[in-house]
Amino acid sequence: MNEIKNICVIGAGVMGSGIAAHIANAGHRVLLFDIVPNTNSEGLCSAQDRSIIAKSAIKKLLKTNPEPFTHKRNAKRIVALNIDDHLSQISECDWIIEAIVENIALKQALYTRIEALRKPGSIVSSNTSTILLSTLVKGMPPRFTEDFCITHFFNPPRYMRLMEIVKGEHTKNSVIDAVNQFCDYRLGKSVVSCKDSPGFIANRLGVFWIYSALVEAFDSGISVEEADIILAKPCGVPKTGVFALMDLVGLDLLPNVIDSMLAALPADDAFVAIKRELPLLLKMIDQGYTGRKGKGGFYRVKTVQGAKVKEVIDLHTGHYAPVKRVDIAGSKINVNNIKQLFELEDKASSYAWRVMSRTLAYATQLVPQVADDINAVDEAMRLGYNWKLGPFELIDKIGARWFKEKLQAENIAISATLEAAVAQGFYKKDEAQILSLNTQGGYSSVQRAAGVVMLSDIKRNAQAILSNPSASLWDIGDGVVCFEFTSKMNSLDSDTMKLLHKSILEVSSNYQAMVIYSDADNFSAGANLGLAMFAANIAAWPEIASIVQAGQQAYKALKYSPFPVVSAPCGMALGGGCEILLHSDAIQAHIETYSGLVEAGVGLVPAWGGCKEMLHRWMNDPHYTKGPIAGPAKAFELISMATVSKSAEQAKSNKVMRPSDTITMNRYRLLADAKQKALSLVEHYKAPSEPSFNLPGPSAKAVFDMTIASYVRSAKATKHDGVVALEIAEILSGGPKADPQVTQSEDEILALERTSFMRIIRHPDSLDRVEHILLTGKPLRN
């Protein structure tokens, strides 16, 4: 197999620079090439720096939101070059990624130059999303075609887990294997093999879906807001819906992509059948309404009398008006009950049916045209377009027979793939495995990549060791158990704590290690604020105090249990979810873990040991041991500002993760990696020693108070931010009786947490914050 160590990207546009950034995130040095800026009549560059385009791209990456880098220091791994002066350096590279404009002539001219310079066995790939591989390599020598493939990343490359790979007729298997392994393990991609067909998988179907939604909205008279609401939650589509998605991607890209697709498709393709002239879309693009990157798109934000007002376009008049709250029957239906939506038969339901039925029917026509495996199509749409369920999974939810009969009633042709699924569906489950319909009409096992362990697979074939409404404990083999949160957003409550205590006893007697993990998108959003608000509304203060103390006791028992505990977070690990990380022996985090003690943002303070653990980590950092206030000051800064680490790498900088904690790039490999880490800790395991604290007391609190006051005066913090921060300062300084010469115990800091929490939760402004976040999902800045 070709070994990939040295990599270059040619083309420093949005995609090329984003790919380079993510390769840098994986720890690799990467060369980033672009052209020399325009030259004068004498052939001289008008810019002083001939590599200014690539250098400017790196600077832009550092200012882009969402952040392309998992840590800003990774930018130093990218070397900015130009193809006129430096292209010979590709001779050092094992993988050369071409990401220039979608122009066949320019790409082929570049390939000729690459072929003359690259070393034997180096891999060349294109990031094209529209051009066939067979077209790209036409006329190229065999040595080049054997080492060439398409690697289609999705934008933004750091966050989008899908990568489509296309193998050419002459591409060596070793090339595909090397790229697949590198992208899987190092870049964290789910690699889907595609056939060399227009748009490959995700864009072939995804662009059809977007275009169908646009055309049907014009034809049916449905509004943009209505379309986005009805195509979101009920259909398992991200909350942006489709029009807001087009604004995000850029309206100006749509005509070019559609034209490229139509030019490559046969006349009888369903995509060709929905082709329409859309004058409003072209007018919007011409006037600069290209989406978020332009003056606005289908939605825009306008300032009216000093206030920002979100407006939406009327598809028939072309005029903008303020967005109105839309209440549509069926908008609350869950994707698991999508058939109910289609049976409502009102205007919105009819729109959803026409868009989704055409899209799903088209998906059935694409197998085996774009892929032999229906699961590949589902995976591409789940990860490339963030659908909750892929098209074949959706048809199974609807019922393949019902779907077929409804299509037939509308005289829509039924594909052989759909016909084959009528009897038993596209997927079947037995005790051992999931089976998917294959192209021969039978069923084949859905294969996980080697080394991947999914909790859902384990759960399908087992009973929980322990379980209650908020959590479960599973045997995942080799003496290791998995503690799984199961409540909404994996929020934590008294049931979670009760099961955690029971689980500690169970593992102590019968197992050797515990992993805390779930297959959900988010590790935990923190404590169940709804229950806290309910208790506060009825003044059940003793009940709230009991929940706080139970959490402290459960986390402390976890920390000092006689077996290793490894937390394996992904997505949000906030508040109480972050505190459980802080009490674990080790963390095996997915790179996209967003962690922090965010309680201050909802008017509360961390009280399940979070303040105590952050104090301990910062006070024992060699950089913060000069004087008694340095460590507490850094912890105060992070906790009072409700700082969230925007990656696992940033979590290390913020000391949510230790230097010894490790990171998994591929989400699918997280549980297996965490299990191995837990097993590695078993031999000679010894629970940590209890920490002690020498805290600065009132003198430090006075410093923190002045810092808070200055923030409030300068409007960097609100009045109630200051009130909450004072409570945090009380805890982190050690309380009114603290003296740096007197050692305080862990339990004394926990007592300070409890006291401050019970004081601040009674504050009316804190209760307003909690209520607001529950009602709107957004923080209240009071």
Side-chain angles (χ1 to χ4, degrees):
M1 183 187 296
N2 307 58
E3 186 176 6
I4 296 174
K5 290 183 178 179
N6 301 313
I7 306 167
C8 72
V9 178
I10 304 177
V14 172
M15 280 304 300
S17 62
I19 293 168
H22 195 52
I23 293 168
N25 291 336
H28 287 261
R29 178 176 177 267
V30 55
L31 310 181
L32 179 62
F33 292 88
D34 210 293
I35 61 172
V36 174
N38 291 333
T39 56
N40 59 26
S41 58
E42 297 176 350
L44 300 175
C45 173
S46 57
Q48 289 183 337
D49 189 339
R50 289 168 61 82
S51 300
I52 190 66
I53 294 179
K55 289 182 179 178
S56 297
I58 298 170
K59 289 181 180 178
K60 188 175 181 180
L61 287 170
L62 288 165
K63 298 176 182 178
T64 299
N65 189 30
E67 298 172 6
F69 293 110
T70 53
H71 201 291
K72 289 187 183 298
R73 62 174 174 245
N74 295 340
K76 296 178 182 178
R77 295 195 181 110
I78 305 179
V79 181
L81 303 168
N82 71 76
I83 60 174
D84 284 358
D85 302 332
H86 309 120
L87 194 62
S88 62
Q89 292 187 37
I90 68 171
S91 63
E92 307 167 8
C93 296
D94 306 305
W95 184 14
I96 302 161
I97 302 171
E98 171 268 302
I100 68 172
V101 294
E102 296 288 80
N103 181 297
I104 296 171
L106 290 177
K107 287 179 185 289
Q108 290 182 329
L110 177 60
Y111 296 161
T112 299
R113 296 180 66 182
I114 289 171
E115 177 60 11
L117 296 168
R118 72 185 185 98
K119 65 181 180 180
S122 62
I123 297 166
V124 183
S125 73
S126 174
N127 184 60
T128 184
S129 61
T130 60
I131 305 173
L132 298 182
L133 185 148
S134 57
T135 302
L136 290 174
V137 299
K138 190 174 182 179
M140 295 299 296
R143 192 186 87 128
F144 184 87
T145 59
E146 289 174 355
D147 291 332
F148 184 85
C149 63
I150 287 174
T151 50
H152 179 212
F153 291 81
F154 280 69
N155 193 34
R158 169 185 163 183
Y159 300 94
M160 300 302 289
R161 289 166 54 195
L162 176 65
M163 195 199 76
E164 295 178 322
I165 189 166
V166 181
K167 180 178 183 290
E169 181 182 358
H170 303 292
T171 310
K172 292 182 292 191
N173 290 332
S174 60
V175 166
I176 300 301
D177 291 343
V179 172
N180 198 326
Q181 184 170 28
F182 184 89
C183 291
D184 177 344
Y185 287 89
R186 301 297 299 153
L187 301 185
K189 298 301 176 185
S190 178
V191 182
V192 173
S193 295
C194 309
K195 293 189 177 180
D196 191 20
S197 61
F200 314 128
I201 297 176
N203 281 348
R204 176 75 171 273
L205 186 58
V207 174
F208 179 94
W209 167 68
I210 289 172
Y211 194 52
S212 178
L214 184 57
V215 168
E216 292 294 341
F218 277 103
D219 288 354
S220 66
I222 200 163
S223 71
V224 168
E225 307 105 297
E226 290 171 326
D228 277 349
I229 288 174
I230 205 67
L231 286 181
K233 180 181 177 181
C235 299
V237 170
K239 62 182 180 180
T240 55
V242 69
F243 285 92
L245 175 63
M246 282 189 272
D247 281 354
L248 181 64
V249 173
L251 273 61
D252 53 326
L253 298 178
L254 192 60
N256 293 332
V257 172
I258 290 170
D259 289 345
S260 296
M261 203 81 77
L262 291 172
L265 294 173
D268 61 349
D269 191 272
F271 204 126
V272 178
I274 64 171
K275 167 67 177 173
R276 307 283 174 83
E277 294 297 327
L278 300 174
L280 177 61
L281 178 63
L282 298 178
K283 180 180 178 182
M284 290 171 68
I285 295 169
D286 186 57
Q287 293 180 347
Y289 286 93
T290 55
R292 293 190 187 182
K293 64 185 178 182
K295 293 157 61 176
F298 293 105
Y299 297 92
R300 72 178 184 184
V301 177
K302 187 176 181 181
T303 302
V304 179
Q305 296 179 344
K308 290 184 177 181
V309 177
K310 188 176 182 180
E311 296 184 332
V312 63
I313 200 167
D314 184 303
L315 295 177
H316 298 281
T317 67
H319 298 146
Y320 285 91
V323 172
K324 296 179 181 179
R325 184 178 178 84
V326 178
D327 189 14
I328 299 176
S331 63
K332 304 299 183 186
I333 289 176
N334 189 282
V335 66
N336 290 323
N337 301 309
I338 189 172
K339 184 180 174 184
Q340 293 179 16
L341 171 67
F342 297 146
E343 290 176 329
L344 290 177
E345 296 185 351
D346 58 9
K347 182 176 77 169
S349 170
S350 176
Y351 172 75
W353 166 254
R354 286 187 63 80
V355 173
M356 296 306 296
S357 66
R358 272 63 175 171
T359 302
L360 300 182
Y362 192 48
T364 70
Q365 296 165 19
L366 295 180
V367 177
Q369 187 181 152
V370 299
D372 289 325
D373 182 1
I374 65 166
N375 191 54
V377 178
D378 280 345
E379 179 81 338
M381 291 307 291
R382 285 193 302 264
L383 299 186
Y385 279 78
N386 287 326
W387 283 20
K388 184 176 181 181
L389 299 174
F392 297 103
E393 292 171 311
L394 276 171
I395 295 173
D396 276 356
K397 290 290 182 185
I398 298 166
R401 184 178 299 279
W402 184 90
F403 183 61
K404 172 198 168 185
E405 291 173 353
K406 192 163 172 63
L407 290 179
Q408 284 179 321
E410 298 181 11
N411 295 316
I412 296 174
I414 306 302
S415 68
T417 302
L418 177 56
E419 191 71 63
V422 166
Q424 300 182 76
F426 286 102
Y427 292 94
K428 296 194 305 181
K429 295 180 182 179
D430 63 20
E431 291 184 359
Q433 59 192 336
I434 300 175
L435 304 171
S436 64
L437 184 69
N438 59 38
T439 54
Q440 290 76 45
Y443 288 83
S444 304
S445 174
V446 174
Q447 297 295 316
R448 305 288 187 199
V452 169
V453 177
M454 300 296 290
L455 185 58
S456 57
D457 292 344
I458 294 168
K459 290 164 64 174
R460 190 171 55 253
N461 305 316
Q463 293 292 321
I465 303 166
L466 299 169
S467 185
N468 69 19
S470 296
S472 296
L473 187 71
W474 301 92
D475 185 340
I476 58 173
D478 300 314
V480 182
V481 298
C482 177
F483 188 88
E484 175 196 27
F485 306 129
T486 56
S487 57
K488 184 177 181 180
M489 292 294 288
N490 286 348
S491 61
L492 310 172
D493 55 26
S494 56
D495 277 345
T496 313
M497 303 310 162
K498 289 174 185 175
L499 197 78
L500 193 53
H501 274 297
K502 290 182 180 179
S503 296
I504 291 168
L505 294 174
E506 176 69 26
V507 179
S508 298
S509 300
N510 300 308
Y511 298 90
Q512 55 181 351
M514 176 189 285
V515 168
I516 302 176
Y517 166 91
S518 83
D519 282 341
D521 292 336
N522 294 296
F523 181 74
S524 174
N528 188 326
L529 292 177
L531 291 177
M533 190 68 197
F534 175 77
N537 284 336
I538 61 173
W541 307 117
E543 177 63 24
I544 294 175
S546 175
I547 292 172
V548 173
Q549 187 150 20
Q552 289 185 343
Q553 291 171 345
Y555 283 15
K556 189 176 177 183
L558 187 75
K559 179 179 179 179
Y560 298 116
S561 61
F563 52 83
V565 176
V566 175
S567 282
C570 176
M572 291 189 294
L574 305 176
C578 180
E579 286 174 300
I580 208 165
L581 302 183
L582 294 170
H583 287 81
S584 302
D585 291 294
I587 298 171
Q588 181 75 43
H590 182 238
I591 185 67
E592 298 304 334
T593 296
Y594 317 120
S595 57
L597 299 174
V598 297
E599 288 86 349
V602 291
L604 303 174
V605 299
W608 282 342
C611 293
K612 175 253 302 179
E613 289 299 317
M614 288 301 281
L615 261 179
H616 179 60
R617 293 186 182 201
W618 283 103
M619 292 182 73
N620 285 276
D621 184 281
H623 297 97
Y624 289 88
T625 53
K626 297 176 182 177
I629 196 173
K634 188 62 182 179
F636 174 75
E637 175 191 333
L638 293 170
I639 297 172
S640 64
M641 299 297 288
T643 304
V644 176
S645 307
K646 295 181 181 179
S647 72
E649 274 196 272
Q650 290 183 26
K652 286 196 172 191
S653 295
N654 291 343
K655 298 205 184 309
V656 171
M657 293 175 65
R658 307 174 185 87
S660 59
D661 290 329
T662 42
I663 297 172
T664 295
M665 295 296 288
N666 191 322
R667 175 66 178 83
Y668 288 147
R669 297 190 178 279
L670 182 57
L671 179 57
D673 288 352
K675 177 182 173 182
Q676 288 306 120
K677 191 171 191 71
L679 287 170
S680 72
L681 298 175
V682 168
E683 190 174 4
H684 309 305
Y685 176 74
K686 184 180 179 181
S689 301
E690 290 196 23
S692 59
F693 301 86
N694 291 88
L695 295 172
S699 61
K701 186 172 184 294
V703 174
F704 296 159
D705 289 356
M706 287 189 289
T707 302
I708 297 162
S710 68
Y711 273 41
V712 173
R713 281 195 304 270
S714 63
K716 293 180 180 178
T718 68
K719 181 180 178 181
H720 195 56
D721 288 336
V723 174
V724 176
L726 285 173
E727 294 292 351
I728 296 168
E730 180 84 0
I731 300 166
L732 299 179
S733 62
K737 297 181 180 179
D739 183 324
Q741 304 303 315
V742 178
T743 298
Q744 290 178 279
S745 70
E746 185 174 31
D747 286 338
E748 287 177 287
I749 309 303
L750 290 173
L752 289 171
E753 287 187 2
R754 291 196 303 273
T755 301
S756 283
F757 185 91
M758 293 309 299
R759 190 160 48 226
I760 198 67
I761 197 172
R762 293 171 184 258
H763 197 294
D765 290 344
S766 286
L767 293 175
D768 286 345
R769 286 192 176 192
V770 173
E771 183 176 31
H772 191 270
I773 199 82
L774 289 171
L775 291 174
T776 68
K778 298 177 181 179
L780 175 65
R781 309 299 300 144
N782 59 345

